[in-house]
Amino acid sequence: MDIQTLRDRHPDHWMRATAIRALTLDAVAAANSGHSGMPMGMADVATVLFANHLKFDASAPRWPDRDRFILSAGHGSMLLYSLMYLTGYADMTLEQIKNFRQWGAITAGHPEYGHVSAAETTTGPLGQGISNAVGFAMAEESLRARWGAKVQDHHTYVIAGDGCLMEGVSQEAIGLAGRLRLSRLIVLWDDNGITIDGKVSLSDVTDQGARFAASGWDVFSCDGHDPEDIDRAITAAKASSGPAMIACKTHIAIGHAAQDTSKGHGALTDKAQLQAAKDGYGWTGGAFEVPADVKSWWETVGAKGKSARAEWESRLAALSPAKQAEFARIFAGDAPNKLSATIRAVKKQAVDDLPKLATRAASEKVLSAVNPVMTETIGGSADLTGSNNTKTADMGVFSSEDRKGRYVYYGIREHGMAAAMNGLALHGGVRAYGGTFMCFTDYARPAMRLSALMGVPVVYVMTHDSIGLGEDGPTHQPVEHLAISRATPNTYVIRPADLVETAEAWEVALTTKTTPTVLALSRQNLPAVRKTHTNQNLVAKGAYVLAEATTKRQVILMATGSEVEIALKARDLLEAEGIGTRVVSMPCWELFAEQDDAYRRKVLPPGAVRIAIEAGTRFGWDTWLFGEGGKRDKADFVGMTGFGASAPAERLYAEFGITAEAAVAKAKALL
Amino acid sequence: MDIQTLRDRHPDHWMRATAIRALTLDAVAAANSGHSGMPMGMADVATVLFANHLKFDASAPRWPDRDRFILSAGHGSMLLYSLMYLTGYADMTLEQIKNFRQWGAITAGHPEYGHVSAAETTTGPLGQGISNAVGFAMAEESLRARWGAKVQDHHTYVIAGDGCLMEGVSQEAIGLAGRLRLSRLIVLWDDNGITIDGKVSLSDVTDQGARFAASGWDVFSCDGHDPEDIDRAITAAKASSGPAMIACKTHIAIGHAAQDTSKGHGALTDKAQLQAAKDGYGWTGGAFEVPADVKSWWETVGAKGKSARAEWESRLAALSPAKQAEFARIFAGDAPNKLSATIRAVKKQAVDDLPKLATRAASEKVLSAVNPVMTETIGGSADLTGSNNTKTADMGVFSSEDRKGRYVYYGIREHGMAAAMNGLALHGGVRAYGGTFMCFTDYARPAMRLSALMGVPVVYVMTHDSIGLGEDGPTHQPVEHLAISRATPNTYVIRPADLVETAEAWEVALTTKTTPTVLALSRQNLPAVRKTHTNQNLVAKGAYVLAEATTKRQVILMATGSEVEIALKARDLLEAEGIGTRVVSMPCWELFAEQDDAYRRKVLPPGAVRIAIEAGTRFGWDTWLFGEGGKRDKADFVGMTGFGASAPAERLYAEFGITAEAAVAKAKALL
């Protein structure tokens, strides 16, 4: 690629795009760390996108009807930071750019949601951004259908690299977007032919255009350094009736000695090479200097959306006050006022009926009550609708045929579902939940971690949460998955024991605004354990005394979910022998840990033998068994020590010794 | 589909294939659980494959040169079990079929490796089998290139369903196989148009043939109920020069009232409908009865490979005794005799040099010594070769151009890599390791769990194992991943502190035959902490006393990996104040837990204050802090409490308080 030709062909454009390149080179050099090549290679595409197409207002980064721009290739964070600085986002000062990747700066190595105002989502783990984008586009379609194009009417643009497209999750995203015909979704693929290990061809020969087309996408291509060709392609993509992918042929680290090499992917810090690149660009400014005319042009770009935003605000203001309040509420992520009363009604009915049912069925009962009063929910399942009990009456199915539907058939795509849920939640205006088997949290892990890191309040409805799944065997029986979810920071893992606890769990999950929730629900039927009504949400306490010792308390049995029933039976047996026994239901460790010391000590006082019962592995339980007033030689665990087996559930519980009798024997051995 | 037409067209074939259908219906009905539709729909394809193409000998299930048959759609386990029974595998008795999915039976809900002799791999979690198969085919190509076609010359066949193809990991497998041009890999896609939630079209419109073709596969199709058409397609696929996919158009639950419906996917147990299906088939036998002529024909199929196996055995016997012994060794998974001396030499050199280096670089040093003496290793990385330090000199690159190469550029495909590694190991004759960042164990989780469940001794080389990764930030910094890996049963998680420990860790990983290993390795340089040589492998003990208190022992500092250095510094500070302090290096909890009580008590005696130091979250540590002779009020933890941040590593350690000073302060507060 002859830089001089590019300069000559479009001199104004060249300098504007090169401002991104220069800032990137300077910031990476200052940090002595980062990824230079991608922002340099995609600078032309980003310039055309921001200047000619992206609907945004740098002075109002979170305006709800803005186009969403997602940098799926998050390592190219300097592309986003440069664009923000140039167009005048208030939070992106030059000082921040100079402190790229330093402690306390918002300019993290990869764009972090909540750190920089223009980061729609946290990216970096490859394939996530493009998969989030499917959720963003779904949210827009759903809101446009339900609120009208006057209020929601925008596009979702993604810049993705080869890494994003090689990750399996991208296929799930592509398949889902293709089926849903998300025509407002436009992926700009940075087709530079380079990965960290060398040429893409070292590890892949995929014809990406053909691959996208196979799933119903419209495919375009352009010379990623020719602004007119880029503009033509984006214009065509916007007009397409399906999701669109534009293959942007680019040169990574263009104009640098490392151009078109894997070295160009990383941190280009050699001073002489850096200067040579700038000289070749015709860039005369010093480090972090942008010529005034270039900066001022970019600020015009940053302000060009102001009128669109003002018009949108007038349209919103024309809605009824109730509608306006509702719009503000759903975008704030607040639960409706009615939610609390709805949950309470379910709880009251439950203590009247005392139903014996699986908590997955309990969850369906709760959702059946909640979904009609909380119409911003969008539910779904990764092809286990009937098993996860996630679909309630009158939701309709969200599809290319019905944009008002609120239930998503995600297909056999746990990872893509979780990533799309993040996107739905990040877009705002909707509240996402989705189901699969608890064991398949494994498949969704990378996206679930990002839910936690970003603090996105999605709800994972994970059913078949133990060996209680039965005959499908160890491949489908979680034993370590409660521990895995609990080990993840900022995640509520709630394993309710009956309908009342399930209702309380949903209330927690639907009212938190900064934490994802994993609901671990049983396949098998469970008896009601909460038999008297209280308005208080006891699950929100994390753990509580479910049944008190009738004589001097010698034993505390701690259990979650399906094993609370076993704990209660064990208590009956111990009490019958005159051994005073308390049962503590512990549906959510994280919420219990958030309580004050006095409450925790009240629930788990010192002095008694402690037995924890859970049909998972012990990993993590010692905190409650030995800690919090417990003693190592006065505590034991009833649960799994390894993987499960294929047999009917009752048999498995008996064979693996997760029984009331086993709990009693262990308790008595320690008395 | 008119059953009568099928019966009339190929009456003999029909009854033979229908034996699979009848056994499936009977077994699922007896278990009142299972998946009937897939074995019924794919019975014709499987019959043609086993009778006309698959090289196997039912009397020698593990013969190393057999074709591999992988039921990726593992829920259709009765297909495999029926074929095994019919063809005469000794372990698959009719009794086992009758006890399908029951406690103690080998006929688990999904085929389990190690349970039934013909299960090449454990399947059920969708997408795994097809991805394992890539590893199987790679192993065959590698061994054929290095040992000659006289010894290794076979195909890998896969039956996969829509679920397998929708899972993202399948795209990684398809891309990898396409690049590697694995022409011995043949995927038979059960194209029945049905998933659990309904028609495939509910959630997907992908043209699968076009998708495979986009990655360089040869694509065929057939009528999956016409034996001649099936035979034609398989013959063509075998002749193709790339990996081949055959779209087999089938009817799920063919001939049953539930045919072509999602109900047909599951357990068909209605007795009248079952009988009606059998009547329609012209099947007159009672439950579990197979007509003698049909059974006898199938037994001929099961025996037809005997001569091929005998010829193979003669060819093997013609090799030199040394070659034969080597072949037996690598298929037994035994380490070479030289390994132990090689590791010892690395350790000796290390205590001479006392190098300051990252454990990822230490790992490369070890591999550089090991790979030349253990030529069955096949290493690789998911596009982080230079960062994971997984490639050593003279390995060569395994590719379509060089089948003798031993290094694999897996591309940005952590999940596909892990699944392929499982396949490599399961095939036998090779030993697989592969690298990515520790944080991206998330992406590989489903396959890593299967490594553990199957007991496959692959080695995960997980570098950049903490906030020590630095500027890339929290998306790339593992904090919960040590806990996640440790929570998984049958997994060695080893976090070595220096070159000596890294060498010992590799020795453990390369000598175990039934457990996968996760090596957690630092990005940053670390000082040598093991300064005197011992032949003993101390890492194999899991934990050991690295530095003893010089006065009365008041404190025990426990640490792993990069934090052992911090523990040693803290010890210096404490000892300087006259506080006797022991440092225990704990590279592998699982191995420590395997030691006898006396050893564990010797390393962690009661009475001292305990401080654990690890740049991850506390989750799981309380077992060692409070348990094993520890006391709740005499223990504390120095580590992470949440996600990391983007900044240089040293700054992060200081800001998050993972320092010797912090450890000293916490110890003194408890004294």
Side-chain angles (χ1 to χ4, degrees):
Chain A
M1 176 55 53
D2 176 7
I3 299 291
Q4 192 60 50
T5 308
L6 293 176
R7 287 174 56 181
D8 292 347
R9 207 158 28 169
H10 302 282
D12 290 342
H13 164 84
W14 175 259
M15 293 313 277
R16 292 158 184 172
T18 291
I20 297 170
R21 298 186 177 100
L23 286 169
T24 297
L25 282 166
D26 291 338
V28 170
N32 198 29
S33 161
H35 300 83
S36 313
M38 192 285 243
M40 293 165 71
M42 284 296 278
D44 298 301
V45 171
T47 299
V48 173
L49 175 65
F50 272 60
N52 302 0
H53 298 279
L54 194 75
K55 180 171 71 169
F56 78 109
D57 177 354
S59 71
R62 313 303 294 169
W63 161 36
D65 197 31
R66 68 194 180 277
D67 283 346
R68 302 315 198 258
F69 170 66
I70 294 169
L71 189 68
S72 191
H75 52 277
S77 55
M78 272 308 302
L79 181 69
L80 182 66
Y81 302 155
S82 301
L83 287 161
M84 288 179 70
Y85 165 67
L86 291 167
T87 55
Y89 281 79
D91 56 333
M92 191 53 68
T93 62
L94 198 57
E95 204 52 32
Q96 289 288 353
I97 301 267
K98 288 179 181 171
N99 280 302
F100 180 50
R101 294 181 155 234
Q102 303 309 304
W103 180 263
I106 61 173
T107 42
H110 295 79
E112 305 272 343
Y113 173 71
H115 290 217
V116 301
S117 61
E120 301 287 357
T121 177
T122 294
T123 51
L126 295 170
Q128 295 299 322
I130 188 174
S131 307
N132 297 157
V134 174
F136 275 93
M138 288 165 67
E140 194 270 346
E141 291 282 359
S142 174
L143 291 167
R144 180 153 39 87
R146 294 195 275 161
W147 286 81
K150 288 185 179 174
V151 184
Q152 286 284 286
D153 186 14
H154 53 263
H155 284 79
T156 301
Y157 294 95
V158 179
I159 287 183
D162 287 293
C164 291
L165 300 195
M166 271 203 236
E167 290 289 356
V169 67
S170 67
Q171 182 64 26
E172 301 185 20
I174 292 166
L176 186 56
R179 169 61 185 90
L180 296 176
R181 293 203 68 68
L182 300 172
S183 63
R184 301 297 186 92
L185 174 61
I186 297 173
V187 172
L188 301 146
W189 167 39
D190 180 14
D191 180 13
N192 60 35
I194 293 295
T195 74
I196 291 175
D197 274 355
K199 292 188 176 165
V200 167
S201 58
L202 266 185
S203 57
D204 198 33
V205 294
T206 299
D207 175 340
Q208 295 291 358
R211 176 187 166 209
F212 277 78
S215 289
W217 286 57
D218 295 311
V219 176
F220 306 88
S221 65
C222 68
D223 173 346
H225 300 298
D226 178 343
E228 288 172 7
D229 203 36
I230 296 164
D231 188 70
R232 176 201 52 75
I234 297 176
T235 303
K238 282 160 81 175
S240 80
S241 63
M245 191 276 268
I246 305 173
C248 307
K249 194 80 197 159
T250 65
H251 295 274
I252 195 167
I254 187 168
H256 187 280
Q259 178 182 317
D260 299 328
T261 69
S262 58
K263 189 177 176 305
H265 169 89
L268 301 176
T269 55
D270 180 277
K271 286 198 177 151
Q273 288 182 343
L274 189 156
Q275 192 53 53
K278 284 190 178 177
D279 291 347
Y281 297 157
W283 188 262
T284 52
F288 300 108
E289 276 178 24
V290 178
D293 62 324
V294 172
K295 180 74 167 83
S296 124
W297 178 83
W298 270 112
E299 283 169 7
T300 316
V301 170
K304 78 179 161 44
K306 275 192 199 306
S307 58
R309 178 168 68 91
E311 287 158 25
W312 174 83
E313 279 172 353
S314 339
R315 291 196 301 272
L316 190 74
L319 297 182
S320 71
K323 276 268 182 191
Q324 287 184 56
E326 175 74 353
F327 189 85
R329 180 185 72 76
I330 62 174
F331 268 84
D334 293 321
N337 287 334
K338 277 185 192 167
L339 179 66
S340 172
T342 305
I343 295 290
R344 228 176 293 149
V346 173
K347 286 168 63 178
K348 277 188 181 151
Q349 189 67 46
V351 298
D352 284 347
D353 298 348
L354 298 180
K356 182 172 172 122
L357 79 173
T359 45
R360 65 188 170 116
S363 172
E364 183 177 351
K365 265 193 194 295
V366 177
L367 285 172
S368 295
V370 164
N371 278 332
V373 301
M374 196 164 175
T375 54
E376 67 267 33
T377 56
I378 291 193
S381 164
D383 199 47
L384 289 169
T385 295
S387 299
N388 300 146
N389 300 62
T390 32
K391 188 166 185 292
T392 63
D394 307 323
M395 290 186 88
V397 173
F398 178 83
S399 71
S400 51
E401 300 85 39
D402 178 11
R403 296 304 194 197
K404 292 189 179 176
R406 291 161 53 203
Y407 191 79
V408 184
Y409 286 116
Y410 281 105
I412 301 110
R413 304 181 178 113
E414 300 82 8
H415 195 176
M417 174 178 74
M421 284 163 60
N422 283 340
L424 283 162
L426 289 162
H427 179 281
V430 297
R431 192 128 193 152
Y433 70 84
T436 182
F437 285 166
M438 183 74 186
C439 206
F440 301 146
T441 49
D442 282 351
Y443 280 84
R445 257 300 294 172
M448 291 176 74
R449 183 178 204 253
L450 283 165
S451 307
L453 179 59
M454 293 189 278
V456 172
V458 295
V459 187
Y460 294 102
V461 184
M462 300 313 205
T463 71
H464 299 62
D465 68 350
S466 75
I467 53 166
L469 167 138
E471 291 90 341
D472 273 347
T475 53
H476 288 55
Q477 289 163 358
V479 295
E480 73 273 42
H481 299 79
L482 287 167
I484 287 173
S485 297
R486 287 168 180 157
T488 308
N490 192 37
T491 302
Y492 292 145
V493 184
I494 312 185
R495 191 164 185 249
D498 69 358
L499 174 52
V500 172
E501 281 198 1
T502 305
E504 291 176 346
W506 269 108
E507 186 172 29
V508 168
L510 292 174
T511 50
T512 177
K513 292 169 73 167
T514 55
T515 304
T517 300
V518 175
L519 295 180
L521 304 173
S522 77
R523 175 199 187 193
Q524 70 273 34
N525 282 338
L526 305 176
V529 298
R530 286 273 292 281
K531 299 184 179 175
T532 52
H533 178 70
T534 168
N535 279 342
Q536 205 188 358
N537 186 324
L538 295 178
V539 165
K541 295 283 200 179
Y544 63 92
V545 179
L546 176 65
E548 189 49 288
T550 57
T551 59
K552 179 174 176 293
R553 182 179 56 243
Q554 296 184 63
V555 175
I556 299 177
L557 301 173
M558 303 141 80
T560 72
S562 45
E563 285 71 68
V564 171
E565 172 187 11
I566 293 173
L568 289 169
K569 278 187 198 150
R571 173 177 172 275
D572 289 345
L573 295 172
L574 287 163
E575 291 267 341
E577 297 191 46
I579 302 167
T581 302
R582 166 185 286 193
V583 170
V584 172
S585 180
M586 292 192 73
C588 182
W589 291 8
E590 299 77 27
L591 287 166
F592 188 51
E594 284 179 15
Q595 306 307 308
D596 60 28
D597 286 355
Y599 178 77
R600 287 208 310 279
R601 176 169 288 257
K602 215 177 79 180
V603 175
L604 293 181
V609 161
R610 292 185 186 180
I611 307 290
I613 314 173
E614 187 170 79
T617 58
R618 181 169 179 157
F619 201 87
W621 268 105
D622 288 351
T623 299
W624 309 112
L625 285 171
F626 300 161
E628 294 289 335
K631 281 181 115 172
R632 187 185 75 86
D633 53 355
K634 292 287 180 193
D636 210 341
F637 179 73
V638 173
M640 299 294 290
T641 55
F643 295 108
S646 170
E650 303 72 26
R651 184 69 184 266
L652 292 173
Y653 270 87
E655 293 287 349
F656 287 114
I658 306 176
T659 61
E661 291 71 23
V664 167
K666 290 199 171 182
K668 286 167 73 176
L670 295 174
L671 279 171
Chain B
M1 175 56 50
D2 177 8
I3 299 290
Q4 193 60 49
T5 307
L6 293 175
R7 287 173 57 181
D8 291 348
R9 206 157 31 167
H10 302 281
D12 290 343
H13 163 84
W14 175 260
M15 293 312 278
R16 292 159 183 169
T18 292
I20 296 170
R21 298 184 178 101
L23 286 168
T24 297
L25 283 166
D26 290 338
V28 170
N32 198 30
S33 161
H35 300 83
S36 313
M38 193 284 244
M40 293 165 70
M42 284 296 278
D44 298 302
V45 171
T47 299
V48 173
L49 174 65
F50 272 60
N52 301 1
H53 299 279
L54 194 76
K55 181 171 72 168
F56 78 109
D57 177 354
S59 72
R62 313 302 297 169
W63 160 37
D65 197 32
R66 69 192 179 280
D67 284 346
R68 303 312 197 260
F69 170 67
I70 293 168
L71 189 68
S72 191
H75 54 275
S77 55
M78 272 308 302
L79 181 71
L80 181 66
Y81 302 155
S82 300
L83 287 161
M84 289 179 70
Y85 165 67
L86 291 167
T87 56
Y89 282 79
D91 56 331
M92 192 53 69
T93 61
L94 199 56
E95 204 54 31
Q96 289 288 352
I97 302 267
K98 288 178 180 172
N99 282 302
F100 180 50
R101 294 181 155 233
Q102 303 307 304
W103 180 262
I106 61 174
T107 42
H110 295 80
E112 305 272 341
Y113 174 72
H115 289 218
V116 302
S117 62
E120 302 286 357
T121 177
T122 294
T123 51
L126 294 170
Q128 296 299 322
I130 187 173
S131 308
N132 297 157
V134 174
F136 276 92
M138 288 165 67
E140 194 271 346
E141 291 282 0
S142 173
L143 292 166
R144 180 152 42 85
R146 294 194 277 161
W147 285 81
K150 288 185 178 174
V151 185
Q152 286 283 287
D153 187 14
H154 54 263
H155 283 79
T156 301
Y157 294 97
V158 179
I159 287 183
D162 286 292
C164 291
L165 300 195
M166 271 202 237
E167 289 289 356
V169 68
S170 68
Q171 182 64 27
E172 301 183 21
I174 291 166
L176 186 57
R179 169 60 186 92
L180 296 175
R181 293 204 66 69
L182 301 172
S183 64
R184 302 298 186 92
L185 174 61
I186 297 173
V187 172
L188 302 146
W189 168 40
D190 180 15
D191 180 15
N192 60 35
I194 294 294
T195 74
I196 291 175
D197 274 355
K199 293 189 175 164
V200 167
S201 58
L202 266 184
S203 56
D204 198 33
V205 294
T206 299
D207 176 340
Q208 296 291 357
R211 176 186 166 209
F212 278 78
S215 289
W217 287 56
D218 295 311
V219 176
F220 306 88
S221 64
C222 69
D223 173 346
H225 300 299
D226 178 343
E228 289 172 5
D229 202 38
I230 297 164
D231 188 69
R232 175 200 54 73
I234 296 177
T235 304
K238 282 159 81 176
S240 80
S241 63
M245 191 276 269
I246 306 173
C248 307
K249 195 79 197 159
T250 64
H251 295 274
I252 196 167
I254 187 170
H256 188 279
Q259 178 183 317
D260 299 329
T261 69
S262 57
K263 190 177 176 305
H265 169 89
L268 302 175
T269 54
D270 180 278
K271 286 198 175 151
Q273 288 182 343
L274 189 157
Q275 192 52 53
K278 286 190 176 176
D279 291 346
Y281 297 158
W283 188 262
T284 54
F288 300 109
E289 275 179 23
V290 178
D293 61 324
V294 173
K295 180 73 168 84
S296 125
W297 178 83
W298 270 112
E299 283 169 8
T300 317
V301 170
K304 76 178 165 41
K306 274 191 200 305
S307 58
R309 177 168 69 92
E311 287 159 23
W312 175 83
E313 280 172 353
S314 343
R315 292 197 299 273
L316 190 74
L319 297 181
S320 71
K323 276 267 183 192
Q324 286 183 57
E326 176 74 353
F327 189 87
R329 180 186 71 75
I330 61 174
F331 268 85
D334 293 321
N337 289 333
K338 277 185 194 165
L339 179 66
S340 172
T342 304
I343 294 290
R344 228 176 292 149
V346 172
K347 287 168 62 178
K348 276 187 181 150
Q349 189 66 46
V351 298
D352 286 346
D353 298 348
L354 299 179
K356 182 172 173 120
L357 78 173
T359 45
R360 63 187 171 117
S363 173
E364 182 177 352
K365 267 194 192 292
V366 178
L367 285 172
S368 296
V370 164
N371 278 332
V373 302
M374 196 164 176
T375 54
E376 66 268 32
T377 55
I378 291 192
S381 164
D383 199 48
L384 290 168
T385 294
S387 299
N388 301 145
N389 299 63
T390 32
K391 189 166 185 290
T392 63
D394 306 323
M395 290 187 87
V397 173
F398 178 83
S399 70
S400 50
E401 301 83 40
D402 179 11
R403 295 305 194 197
K404 292 189 179 175
R406 289 161 55 203
Y407 191 79
V408 184
Y409 288 116
Y410 282 105
I412 301 110
R413 302 179 179 115
E414 301 83 8
H415 195 177
M417 174 178 74
M421 285 164 61
N422 282 341
L424 284 162
L426 289 162
H427 179 280
V430 297
R431 192 128 193 152
Y433 71 83
T436 183
F437 286 165
M438 183 72 185
C439 206
F440 301 146
T441 49
D442 282 350
Y443 280 84
R445 256 300 295 171
M448 292 177 75
R449 182 177 204 253
L450 283 165
S451 308
L453 179 60
M454 293 190 280
V456 172
V458 295
V459 187
Y460 294 102
V461 184
M462 300 314 204
T463 71
H464 299 61
D465 68 349
S466 75
I467 53 166
L469 165 139
E471 292 90 342
D472 272 348
T475 52
H476 288 54
Q477 290 163 357
V479 294
E480 73 274 42
H481 300 80
L482 287 167
I484 287 173
S485 297
R486 288 169 179 157
T488 309
N490 192 38
T491 302
Y492 291 145
V493 183
I494 313 186
R495 190 162 186 250
D498 70 358
L499 175 52
V500 172
E501 281 198 0
T502 305
E504 292 177 344
W506 269 108
E507 187 172 30
V508 168
L510 293 173
T511 50
T512 177
K513 293 169 71 167
T514 54
T515 303
T517 300
V518 174
L519 294 181
L521 304 174
S522 77
R523 175 199 186 190
Q524 70 273 34
N525 282 339
L526 305 175
V529 298
R530 285 274 292 279
K531 300 184 179 176
T532 53
H533 178 71
T534 168
N535 279 342
Q536 206 189 356
N537 186 323
L538 296 177
V539 165
K541 295 283 200 180
Y544 63 94
V545 179
L546 177 65
E548 189 49 288
T550 57
T551 58
K552 178 173 177 295
R553 182 179 56 243
Q554 295 183 66
V555 174
I556 299 178
L557 301 173
M558 305 140 79
T560 73
S562 45
E563 285 71 68
V564 171
E565 172 187 11
I566 293 172
L568 289 169
K569 277 187 201 151
R571 174 178 171 273
D572 289 346
L573 295 172
L574 287 163
E575 291 267 341
E577 298 191 44
I579 302 168
T581 302
R582 167 185 285 192
V583 170
V584 172
S585 180
M586 294 192 72
C588 183
W589 292 8
E590 300 76 27
L591 288 166
F592 188 51
E594 285 179 13
Q595 307 305 310
D596 60 29
D597 286 354
Y599 178 77
R600 286 209 311 279
R601 175 169 290 257
K602 215 177 78 182
V603 175
L604 293 180
V609 161
R610 293 185 184 178
I611 307 289
I613 315 172
E614 188 169 78
T617 59
R618 181 170 180 155
F619 202 87
W621 268 105
D622 288 351
T623 299
W624 309 111
L625 285 172
F626 300 161
E628 294 288 334
K631 279 181 117 173
R632 186 184 75 87
D633 52 356
K634 291 287 178 193
D636 210 340
F637 179 73
V638 173
M640 300 293 290
T641 55
F643 295 108
S646 171
E650 304 73 27
R651 184 69 184 268
L652 292 174
Y653 270 87
E655 294 286 350
F656 287 114
I658 306 176
T659 62
E661 291 70 24
V664 166
K666 290 199 172 183
K668 286 168 73 177
L670 294 175
L671 279 170

